[in-house]
């Protein structure tokens, strides 16, 4: 009955209680660690821009018996028997996703965002082909051509970045780069860029040189789904995303298309057969780069897409954006320098050099006060990726804990207090206690949608 004595720390329903109770009985070592992590998540302020807190219905689908099922292939075209139920689930996930983004085609099987990108590359590129992506050191992602990733190892990776004076991408400059370079694939999207993207300008340049345009919306996908940012579906050939960041679903990836699923790019002759782009992409996910799909995760994705279609989610994601803009304003008031001077989305990148701090120190100091963040390179950084001059904040997770604008002001005060107390253990511990009491009453699970 240990669990029930401690149940105050969980805000889960009876199904989840049973689930945890069983783990406890059968593997107390792992159960103890899950409890420890539960405490860490519950009592901390989570500012990592790529994280979120799912609802318990999203969690339950992920922890369901669907994990037992093999289902290589697609709904109606499987390599295993007994797929009639998972076919319904996967079809529903695809239909909900298409509705959410106004897509005409979708694949919900990628195990992660990086896997979704790898499938796209393997579908349309040959080793040595030229690609153009956003520079990792300016806020890009490893899977967009970094030499340590397959995208940089197998392809001729080229990069664009932000302007030094503005901290923003000059899309006309990128368009000229596309015209000069004539890459086969152009990738838009970032992990640490707080401004919107001009997909139309990129597409126009891509069309002139016959390049394919991919938008990786892993970070801002939730804001895009609800119309709070420019829509890439109409202008890009392919859109990839994670499902676990602002979209607030299980860890995973997705691939979508809007207008281009019958584009000539897809008319690849394979064994004498002409294929649509969508068919080439389906084949690039399985069997191209993955094995069997994770149907428990796909069910959980379907639940999350269903939530994201609701008005409750619209309220949530608007609050995420508002919280980020309040946070940026408050940080600026305290003398912090935000790259590009503010944010259009859920995230921001802060250059700590004006405060004589490194990203590494800031991450550690905030961590001591139970405020979780990640150090991050800033554009034109003079420090190594292990030290960095910056720190990245995002508001998707903290907003799921029920924090509003006034809470954001409080959080910025705590962040600033902690950063200014960098070597004062007592003070940091005291701030940590304040953080704990602030978060203790806030449910760890995103409010389930009662539709
Ligand atoms: C997070 C992210 C990914 C990778 O997602 P994983 O699920 O960790 O593989 C890919 N692209 C961008 C832009 C991201 O921000």
């Amino acid at each position: 009955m240990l669990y029930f004595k401690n149940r105050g720390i969980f805000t889960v329903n009876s199904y989840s209680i049973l689930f945890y109770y069983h783990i406890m009985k059968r593997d107390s070592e792992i159960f103890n660690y899950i409890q420890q992590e539960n405490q860490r998540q519950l009592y901390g302020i989570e500012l990592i821009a790529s994280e979120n807190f799912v609802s318990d219905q999203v969690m339950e689908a992920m922890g369901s018996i669907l994990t037992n099922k093999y289902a290589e292939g697609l709904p109606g075209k499987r390599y295993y028997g007994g797929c009639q139920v998972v076919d319904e689930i996967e079809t529903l996930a695809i239909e909900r996703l298409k509705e959410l983004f106004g897509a005409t085609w979708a694949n919900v099987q990628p195990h992660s965002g990086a896997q979704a990108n790898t499938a796209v590359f393997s579908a349309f590129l040959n080793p040595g082909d030229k690609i153009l992506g956003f520079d990792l050191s300016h806020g890009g992602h490893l899977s967009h051509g970094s030499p340590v990733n397959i995208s940089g190892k197998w392809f001729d990776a080229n990069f664009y970045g932000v302007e030094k004076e503005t901290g923003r991408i000059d899309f006309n400059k990128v368009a000229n780069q596309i015209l000069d370079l004539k890459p086969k694939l152009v990738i838009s999207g970032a992990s640490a860029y707080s401004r919107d993207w001009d997909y139309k300008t990129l597409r126009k340049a891509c069309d002139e040189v016959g390049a394919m345009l991919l938008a990786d919306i892993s970070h801002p996908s939730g804001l895009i789904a609800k119309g709070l940012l420019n829509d890439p579906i109409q202008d890009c050939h392919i859109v990839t995303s994670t499902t676990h960041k602002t979209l607030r679903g299980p860890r995973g990836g997705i691939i979508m298309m809007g207008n281009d699923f019958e584009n000539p790019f897809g008319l690849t002759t394979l064994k004498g057969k002409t294929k649509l782009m969508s068919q080439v992409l389906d084949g690039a996910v399985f069997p191209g780069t993955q094995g069997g799909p994770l149907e428990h995760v796909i069910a959980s994705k379907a639940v999350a897409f269903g939530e994201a279609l609701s008005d409750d989610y619209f309220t949530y994601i608007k609050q995420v954006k508002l919280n980020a803009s309040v946070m940026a304003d408050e940080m600026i008031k305290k003398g912090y320098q935000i790259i590009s001077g503010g944010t259009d989305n859920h995230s921001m990148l802060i250059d700590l050099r004006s405060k004589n701090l490194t990203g590494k120190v800031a991450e550690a100091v905030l961590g001591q006060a139970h405020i979780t963040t990640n150090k991050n390179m800033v554009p034109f950084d003079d420090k190594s990726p292990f030290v960095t001059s910056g720190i990245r904040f995002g508001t998707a997770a903290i907003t799921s804990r029920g924090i509003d604008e006034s809470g954001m002001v409080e959080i910025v005060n705590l962040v600033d207090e902690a950063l200014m107390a960098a070597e004062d253990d007592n003070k940091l511990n005291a701030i940590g206690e304040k953080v704990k009491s602030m978060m203790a009453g806030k449910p760890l699970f995103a409010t389930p949608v009662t539709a």
Side-chain angles (χ1 to χ4, degrees):
M1 294 324 258
L2 174 70
Y3 178 78
F4 292 98
K5 259 197 251 162
N6 293 334
R7 74 178 280 193
I9 64 169
F10 292 95
T11 52
V12 292
N13 65 22
S14 56
Y15 180 97
S16 304
I17 287 169
L18 267 182
F19 173 73
Y20 284 109
Y21 184 62
H22 278 117
I23 288 181
M24 179 191 76
K25 271 178 47 174
R26 293 175 186 173
D27 192 333
S28 61
E29 267 182 302
I30 286 294
F31 179 74
N32 284 337
Y33 287 130
I34 292 176
Q35 264 195 322
Q36 281 175 34
E37 174 62 11
N38 186 91
Q39 301 284 66
R40 191 194 68 80
Q41 290 187 16
L42 179 69
Y43 290 121
I45 289 177
E46 183 55 71
L47 294 178
I48 292 177
S50 43
E51 293 193 11
N52 211 329
F53 296 96
V54 298
S55 69
D56 51 2
Q57 48 198 348
V58 165
M59 188 77 79
E60 280 177 19
M62 231 186 320
S64 71
I65 45 82
L66 293 167
T67 193
N68 299 332
K69 189 71 199 98
Y70 240 112
E72 283 178 355
L74 287 165
K77 286 174 275 182
R78 305 284 192 185
Y79 294 85
Y80 287 82
C83 289
Q84 56 274 28
V85 181
V86 293
D87 275 5
E88 298 292 335
I89 289 170
E90 189 167 336
T91 301
L92 196 52
I94 291 167
E95 290 310 316
R96 286 180 181 176
L97 179 60
K98 281 159 62 178
E99 187 185 344
L100 186 59
F101 285 93
T104 52
W105 170 90
N107 186 303
V108 295
Q109 293 190 357
H111 300 330
S112 78
Q115 287 286 93
N117 289 338
T118 302
V120 173
F121 303 152
S122 88
F124 300 111
L125 298 176
N126 294 311
D129 279 349
K130 264 187 234 171
I131 62 172
L132 177 67
F134 186 43
D135 197 327
L136 179 65
S137 67
H138 285 210
H141 191 261
L142 284 163
S143 64
H144 298 179
S146 162
V148 297
N149 181 263
I150 192 167
S151 55
K153 284 185 177 160
W154 285 19
F155 310 113
D156 173 9
N158 300 268
F159 301 97
Y160 55 93
V162 299
E163 298 300 300
K164 202 163 188 175
E165 313 77 59
T166 59
R168 290 176 186 248
I169 297 167
D170 178 338
F171 286 94
N172 291 321
K173 269 198 184 170
V174 182
N176 286 331
Q177 219 176 327
I178 293 169
L179 298 181
D180 285 345
L181 187 71
K182 299 182 179 59
K184 197 158 173 191
L185 176 77
V186 173
I187 310 165
S188 64
S191 289
Y193 184 65
S194 59
R195 299 301 183 175
D196 207 351
W197 291 76
D198 180 356
Y199 304 110
K200 286 194 192 306
T201 298
L202 295 178
R203 176 63 187 258
K204 195 161 162 277
C206 284
D207 282 347
E208 279 187 50
V209 299
M212 183 176 285
L213 180 59
L214 165 67
D216 176 352
I217 59 169
S218 286
H219 264 268
S221 49
L223 290 96
I224 289 169
K226 300 311 252 187
L228 301 181
L229 289 170
N230 290 338
D231 179 10
I233 286 277
Q234 302 308 319
D235 294 310
C236 302
H237 295 97
I238 304 171
V239 176
T240 56
S241 181
T242 59
T243 47
H244 49 273
K245 296 178 183 174
T246 52
L247 211 45
R248 206 163 72 178
R251 309 199 74 80
I254 46 177
I255 309 177
M256 297 179 282
M257 270 193 280
N259 298 321
D260 292 288
F261 68 106
E262 287 192 64
N263 192 284
F265 284 111
L267 301 179
T268 310
T269 306
L270 214 71
K271 288 185 190 156
K273 272 209 248 166
T274 303
K275 293 202 171 192
L276 299 179
M277 236 170 112
S278 51
Q279 291 175 305
V280 177
L281 273 172
D282 277 334
V285 175
F286 170 83
T289 53
Q290 291 191 169
L294 314 174
E295 291 297 340
H296 55 307
V297 177
I298 288 170
S300 183
K301 286 173 179 171
V303 173
F305 302 152
E307 289 180 2
L309 282 164
S310 71
D311 292 341
D312 290 5
Y313 180 85
F314 188 38
T315 306
Y316 158 72
I317 203 73
K318 275 191 292 190
Q319 188 68 47
V320 167
K321 188 171 167 163
L322 181 59
N323 281 352
S325 80
V326 168
M327 182 173 209
D329 289 348
E330 293 299 311
M331 290 298 288
I332 290 167
K333 275 191 214 159
K334 293 193 182 296
Y336 291 88
Q337 200 206 325
I338 299 192
I339 303 297
S340 85
T343 178
D344 297 332
N345 58 29
H346 64 296
S347 71
M348 68 206 71
L349 186 54
I350 291 154
D351 189 337
L352 292 163
R353 286 177 288 195
S354 62
K355 295 280 186 182
N356 281 320
L357 285 164
T358 65
K360 186 181 176 184
V361 167
E363 182 188 299
V365 164
L366 292 172
Q368 216 180 318
H370 306 302
I371 300 170
T372 317
T373 61
N374 63 283
K375 62 177 182 275
N376 213 102
M377 298 281 277
V378 295
F380 313 100
D381 207 325
D382 53 352
K383 304 204 176 58
S384 80
F386 297 101
V387 179
T388 80
S389 298
I391 196 143
R392 185 183 64 157
F393 291 149
T395 53
I398 201 71
T399 307
S400 289
R401 298 288 306 272
I403 297 285
D404 62 6
E405 303 96 288
S406 62
M408 288 316 300
V409 175
E410 248 181 279
I411 286 175
V412 170
N413 286 338
L414 291 165
V415 164
D416 181 52
E417 258 184 73
L419 289 175
M420 293 304 107
E423 272 158 30
D424 188 339
D425 281 346
N426 290 336
K427 199 144 182 215
L428 288 174
N429 292 339
I431 297 166
E433 288 308 310
K434 276 199 235 172
V435 168
K436 263 184 149 175
S437 61
M438 178 176 178
M439 299 311 292
K442 305 232 177 326
L444 195 53
F445 285 76
T447 314
V449 177
T450 47

